[in-house]
Amino acid sequence: MTLRLIHDGPVVRLRIDRPDKRNAFTQAMWASLPGLLDEALELRGVRLLLLESAAPGMFCAGADIAELLANRADTGWLAANQAAINATQHRLARFPLPTLAFVDGDCVGGGCGLAIACDMRVATPRARMGITPAKLGLVYPLHDVKLLVDLVGPGQARRMLFSGELLCADEALRIGLVEAVAEAPDALVAPILANSTHSTRVIKGFVRRVLDGQVAEDAESLALFADAFGGPDFLEGSTAFRERRKPLFKA
């Protein structure tokens, strides 16, 4: 099983497990990931999805190049592969709960696409990140180019895409490709889990609206803002604030 879910209390770990191929993604893996995201949402008490490698020292080497070469003349296969990649990336970028990629080792091409489709990224000091289609005579999907531009800006996005260079963890942090460099993702996971799941879900939705082009309030966004004042999380959060204690939000 090259992809699997591990239910770890409030965290669901989506693990890539193909270490003999440096976790390179096949079409079958792209096609199966959306179903795993659906399963993750059904797990009781889950508040965050963590995308990681099952084996240390790697994240994902990108697409399985041998598979691409074997099917390069099969237009039906290529179309199905493109559709699987696009569907997975769209779903991952819009997953309702907070998502975090833990990058330990190489994170290249489609692997970098998976990481930037998550809300945040933590890289270990040995991480290397890059997008290399230009070195293979290929192009990067438009949706993923937008994810990259939204994250690091057009200049750094062009630098990464045109050069295909692998960036070290510190350089990735400097340009905003990752949010933290650490040996474990705990420093970002713990504060998220301590806060209101309702708040983070709604705020995540607002961020996605902005990234997708919305610039003004609409009836739905106004209602979501107003309705929070009548919700149980505001009551618990405000009570905890008055009592000078940490809030205990329900999942």
Side-chain angles (χ1 to χ4, degrees), residues 117-148:
C118 293
D119 295 322
M120 294 168 292
R121 289 139 296 278
V122 174
T124 68
R126 59 183 169 182
R128 297 191 306 169
M129 303 181 71
I131 301 174
T132 55
K135 292 190 173 188
L136 299 170
L138 299 174
V139 298
Y140 214 49
L142 178 63
H143 175 267
D144 294 358
V145 170
K146 183 180 186 306
L147 292 178
L148 182 65

Coordinates of all heavy atoms in Angstrom, one line a residue, residues 117-148:
A117 N 0.2 22.4 -2.1 CA -1.2 22.3 -2.0 C -1.7 22.3 -0.6 O -2.9 22.5 -0.3 CB -1.7 21.1 -2.8
C118 N -0.8 22.0 0.4 CA -1.2 22.0 1.8 C -1.2 23.5 2.3 O -0.6 24.3 1.7 CB -0.2 21.2 2.6 SG -0.3 19.4 2.3
D119 N -1.8 23.7 3.4 CA -1.9 25.0 4.0 C -0.5 25.5 4.4 O -0.2 26.7 4.3 CB -2.8 25.1 5.2 CG -4.3 24.7 4.8 OD1 -4.7 25.2 3.7 OD2 -5.0 24.1 5.5
M120 N 0.3 24.6 5.0 CA 1.6 25.0 5.6 C 2.6 23.9 5.4 O 2.2 22.7 5.1 CB 1.5 25.4 7.1 CG 0.6 26.6 7.4 SD 0.3 26.7 9.1 CE -0.8 25.3 9.3
R121 N 3.9 24.2 5.5 CA 4.9 23.2 5.3 C 6.0 23.4 6.4 O 6.4 24.6 6.7 CB 5.6 23.4 4.0 CG 4.7 23.0 2.8 CD 4.9 24.0 1.6 NE 4.3 25.3 2.0 CZ 3.0 25.6 2.0 NH1 2.1 24.7 1.6 NH2 2.6 26.8 2.4
V122 N 6.4 22.3 7.0 CA 7.6 22.3 7.9 C 8.6 21.4 7.2 O 8.4 20.3 6.8 CB 7.2 21.7 9.3 CG1 8.5 21.6 10.1 CG2 6.2 22.6 10.0
A123 N 9.8 22.0 7.1 CA 10.9 21.3 6.5 C 12.0 21.0 7.5 O 12.3 21.8 8.4 CB 11.5 22.1 5.3
T124 N 12.6 19.8 7.4 CA 13.8 19.5 8.3 C 15.0 20.1 7.6 O 15.0 20.5 6.4 CB 14.0 18.0 8.4 OG1 14.4 17.4 7.2 CG2 12.7 17.3 8.9
P125 N 16.1 20.3 8.4 CA 17.3 20.8 7.8 C 17.8 20.1 6.6 O 18.5 20.7 5.8 CB 18.3 20.8 9.0 CG 17.4 20.9 10.2 CD 16.2 20.1 9.8
R126 N 17.5 18.8 6.4 CA 18.0 18.1 5.3 C 17.1 18.1 4.1 O 17.3 17.5 3.0 CB 18.3 16.6 5.6 CG 17.1 15.8 6.2 CD 17.6 14.4 6.6 NE 16.6 13.7 7.3 CZ 16.7 12.5 7.8 NH1 17.9 11.9 7.6 NH2 15.8 11.9 8.5
A127 N 16.0 18.9 4.2 CA 15.0 19.0 3.0 C 15.7 19.7 1.9 O 16.4 20.6 2.0 CB 13.8 19.7 3.5
R128 N 15.2 19.3 0.7 CA 15.6 20.0 -0.6 C 14.3 20.1 -1.4 O 13.6 19.1 -1.6 CB 16.7 19.3 -1.4 CG 18.0 19.2 -0.7 CD 19.1 18.8 -1.6 NE 18.8 17.5 -2.3 CZ 19.4 17.0 -3.3 NH1 20.5 17.7 -3.8 NH2 19.1 15.8 -3.8
M129 N 14.0 21.3 -1.9 CA 12.7 21.5 -2.6 C 12.9 22.1 -3.9 O 13.7 23.1 -4.1 CB 11.8 22.3 -1.7 CG 11.5 21.7 -0.4 SD 10.3 22.7 0.6 CE 8.8 22.4 -0.2
G130 N 12.3 21.6 -4.9 CA 12.4 22.1 -6.3 C 11.4 21.6 -7.2 O 10.7 20.6 -7.0
I131 N 11.2 22.4 -8.3 CA 10.2 22.0 -9.3 C 11.0 21.9 -10.7 O 11.5 22.9 -11.2 CB 9.1 23.0 -9.4 CG1 8.4 23.1 -8.0 CG2 8.1 22.7 -10.5 CD1 7.4 24.2 -7.9
T132 N 11.1 20.7 -11.2 CA 12.1 20.4 -12.2 C 11.5 20.1 -13.6 O 12.3 19.5 -14.5 CB 12.9 19.2 -11.8 OG1 12.1 18.1 -11.4 CG2 13.7 19.6 -10.5
P133 N 10.3 20.3 -14.0 CA 9.8 19.9 -15.3 C 10.7 20.5 -16.5 O 10.8 19.9 -17.5 CB 8.4 20.5 -15.4 CG 7.9 20.5 -14.0 CD 9.2 20.9 -13.2
A134 N 11.2 21.7 -16.3 CA 12.0 22.4 -17.4 C 13.2 21.5 -17.7 O 13.8 21.6 -18.8 CB 12.4 23.8 -17.0
K135 N 13.7 20.8 -16.7 CA 14.9 19.9 -16.9 C 14.5 18.6 -17.7 O 15.4 17.9 -18.2 CB 15.5 19.5 -15.6 CG 16.2 20.7 -14.9 CD 17.0 20.2 -13.7 CE 17.8 21.4 -13.1 NZ 18.8 21.0 -12.1
L136 N 13.2 18.4 -17.8 CA 12.7 17.2 -18.5 C 12.0 17.5 -19.8 O 11.4 16.6 -20.4 CB 11.8 16.4 -17.6 CG 12.4 15.9 -16.3 CD1 11.3 15.3 -15.3 CD2 13.5 14.8 -16.5
G137 N 11.9 18.8 -20.1 CA 11.2 19.2 -21.3 C 9.7 19.1 -21.1 O 8.9 19.0 -22.1
L138 N 9.2 19.2 -19.8 CA 7.8 19.1 -19.5 C 7.4 20.5 -19.0 O 8.2 21.4 -18.8 CB 7.5 18.1 -18.5 CG 7.9 16.6 -18.9 CD1 7.7 15.7 -17.7 CD2 7.0 16.2 -20.0
V139 N 6.1 20.6 -18.7 CA 5.6 21.9 -18.0 C 4.9 21.5 -16.8 O 4.6 20.3 -16.5 CB 4.6 22.7 -19.0 CG1 5.4 23.1 -20.2 CG2 3.4 21.8 -19.4
Y140 N 4.6 22.5 -15.9 CA 3.9 22.3 -14.7 C 2.5 22.7 -14.8 O 2.1 23.6 -15.5 CB 4.6 23.2 -13.6 CG 4.7 22.6 -12.2 CD1 5.1 21.3 -12.0 CD2 4.3 23.4 -11.1 CE1 5.2 20.8 -10.7 CE2 4.4 22.9 -9.8 CZ 4.8 21.6 -9.6 OH 4.9 21.1 -8.3
P141 N 1.5 22.0 -14.1 CA 0.1 22.3 -14.3 C -0.2 23.7 -13.9 O 0.4 24.3 -12.9 CB -0.6 21.3 -13.3 CG 0.4 20.2 -13.2 CD 1.7 20.8 -13.3
L142 N -1.1 24.4 -14.6 CA -1.5 25.8 -14.3 C -1.9 25.9 -12.9 O -1.6 26.9 -12.2 CB -2.5 26.2 -15.3 CG -3.0 27.7 -15.1 CD1 -1.9 28.7 -15.3 CD2 -4.2 27.9 -16.0
H143 N -2.8 25.0 -12.4 CA -3.3 25.1 -11.0 C -2.1 25.2 -10.0 O -2.1 26.0 -9.1 CB -4.2 23.9 -10.7 CG -4.7 23.9 -9.3 ND1 -4.0 23.1 -8.3 CD2 -5.7 24.4 -8.7 CE1 -4.7 23.3 -7.2 NE2 -5.7 24.0 -7.4
D144 N -1.1 24.3 -10.2 CA 0.0 24.3 -9.3 C 0.9 25.5 -9.4 O 1.5 25.9 -8.5 CB 0.8 23.0 -9.5 CG 0.0 21.7 -9.1 OD1 -1.2 21.9 -8.7 OD2 0.4 20.6 -9.3
V145 N 1.0 26.0 -10.7 CA 1.8 27.2 -10.8 C 1.1 28.4 -10.0 O 1.8 29.1 -9.4 CB 1.9 27.6 -12.3 CG1 2.4 29.0 -12.5 CG2 2.8 26.6 -13.1
K146 N -0.2 28.4 -10.0 CA -0.9 29.4 -9.3 C -0.6 29.2 -7.8 O -0.4 30.2 -7.0 CB -2.4 29.4 -9.5 CG -3.1 30.5 -8.8 CD -4.6 30.5 -9.0 CE -5.3 31.8 -8.4 NZ -5.0 31.9 -6.9
L147 N -0.7 28.0 -7.3 CA -0.4 27.7 -5.9 C 1.0 28.2 -5.5 O 1.2 28.8 -4.5 CB -0.4 26.2 -5.6 CG -1.8 25.5 -5.7 CD1 -1.6 24.0 -5.4 CD2 -2.8 26.1 -4.7
L148 N 2.0 28.0 -6.4 CA 3.4 28.5 -6.2 C 3.4 30.0 -6.2 O 4.1 30.6 -5.3 CB 4.3 27.9 -7.2 CG 5.8 28.2 -7.1 CD1 6.3 27.6 -5.8 CD2 6.6 27.7 -8.3

